[in-house]
Amino acid sequence: MADSFLILAQAAGGTGGWTNIVFIIGLFAIMYFIMIRPQQKQLKAHRELISSLKKGDEVITQGGLIGRIHVVAEREVTLEVSNGVRIRVLKTSVAGRYAAPGETPASVAKTDEKKEEK
């Protein structure tokens, strides 16, 4: 019985080091395409959103506040959340543009284009 364990241990060790290296490289490739690359794309899209903020945009913050941009500064944005109620938030806390529940993103883009034409 002890001899059979020795034979199995020797047979398993004889597969070579290349298999282990290929396996580790495969794991890193999978992690890159599943975790790192999508996160980099999302970060790039958020940076583009922050750089394109302008007065009059309706945005939602990461905390869930919805407001219209009143002033855009270097690091901060002043949101008007109600008539006469303005708050300052960091640009990085802006999660995205806000579309009302009845609106689709395409209709929001069309109204933005109409505002720019005027």
Side-chain angles (χ1 to χ4, degrees), residues 28-105:
F28 279 118
I30 290 170
M31 284 182 59
Y32 175 77
F33 285 108
I34 291 179
M35 294 174 60
I36 298 169
R37 191 165 180 241
Q39 188 176 9
Q40 287 176 343
K41 283 185 176 183
Q42 186 179 18
L43 183 62
K44 182 180 176 185
H46 189 253
R47 284 183 184 151
E48 289 174 0
L49 169 74
I50 288 174
S51 65
S52 70
L53 292 177
K54 61 187 180 301
K55 183 177 178 176
D57 289 346
E58 268 196 35
V59 295
I60 186 165
T61 65
Q62 291 176 354
L65 291 172
I66 300 170
R68 187 174 305 272
I69 295 178
H70 185 71
V71 176
V72 178
E74 185 178 334
R75 294 183 59 212
E76 298 175 349
V77 174
T78 303
L79 297 179
E80 187 169 9
V81 293
S82 184
N83 290 335
V85 179
R86 296 183 182 144
I87 59 171
R88 289 180 3 201
V89 296
L90 292 174
K91 277 186 175 181
T92 55
S93 68
V94 173
R97 298 201 193 300
Y98 177 72
E103 297 178 350
T104 61

Side-chain angles (χ1 to χ4, degrees), residues 3 8 21 24-25 27 35 44 61 72 77 111-113 117:
D3 293 334
L8 289 174
I21 292 172
I24 291 172
I25 291 172
L27 282 178
M35 294 174 60
K44 182 180 176 185
T61 65
V72 178
V77 174
T111 57
D112 286 343
E113 289 174 6
E117 290 176 2

Side-chain angles (χ1 to χ4, degrees), residues 6-18:
L6 289 174
I7 293 171
L8 289 174
Q10 289 174 353
T15 58
W18 290 105

